Amino acid sequence: MEKLKVGVLGLRRGVAHLRNMLRLDNVEVIGVCDRLPVLQERAAQLVGDRPTKILTEYEELLGLKPDAVVVATNGKMQVEHSIQAMEAGCAVLSEVPGAYTLEEVIRLRAAVEHTGCFYMFAENACFWD
């Protein structure tokens, strides 16, 4: 069985997704991306000796041709990053907030319809208490 090739964009909140995906037998994290060196270093420690690339630019991550991208960047950039990933042929798992306005939600839906790619919103339950 072929492994799902995944990239993670944004290594503050995205580190939890990275940690979980590294434990899956059917997933290969081919690249992670953040501009902050401290977050890159934390990811490098988790990745260890795996061939995962540590990158600073999103275009480099998309250039690796992942099957899916976790978008865990600043909320104001998530719509743009998600649409970029879908236009590159990737499925998207977007962290919260995903979008702020109805216009952004409409743009996301249009990107899903145009590209045929999957978009999933990763709502979390940290506020249940």
Side-chain angles (χ1 to χ4, degrees), residues 9-129:
L9 175 64
L11 295 171
R12 188 172 309 274
R13 278 190 75 111
V15 75
H17 296 285
L18 171 61
R19 194 177 292 119
N20 290 331
M21 289 185 190
L22 289 173
R23 294 180 179 136
L24 299 174
D25 292 333
N26 58 344
V27 172
E28 178 185 359
V29 181
I30 60 171
V32 297
C33 182
D34 202 292
R35 290 184 175 168
L36 297 177
V38 67
L39 298 179
Q40 293 172 355
E41 291 166 16
R42 180 170 65 171
Q45 289 175 350
L46 286 172
V47 166
D49 61 354
R50 292 175 184 89
T52 305
K53 298 206 181 307
I54 311 289
L55 306 165
T56 58
E57 299 301 321
Y58 188 33
E59 292 74 17
E60 292 176 293
L61 180 62
L62 293 177
L64 297 176
K65 306 284 188 209
D67 300 313
V69 173
V70 174
V71 175
T73 53
N74 176 310
K76 294 178 181 179
M77 294 299 299
Q78 289 173 354
V79 170
E80 296 304 322
H81 290 147
S82 294
I83 290 171
Q84 249 184 296
M86 288 185 279
E87 288 176 348
C90 305
V92 173
L93 173 66
S94 177
E95 258 295 348
V96 296
Y100 284 109
T101 67
L102 180 58
E103 178 186 320
E104 289 178 330
V105 173
I106 290 169
R107 289 182 59 219
L108 282 170
R109 180 179 178 203
V112 169
E113 290 174 348
H114 172 74
T115 64
C117 293
F118 291 100
Y119 174 87
M120 187 169 114
F121 181 58
E123 178 56 74
N124 59 54
C126 62
F127 300 108
W128 278 3
D129 289 341

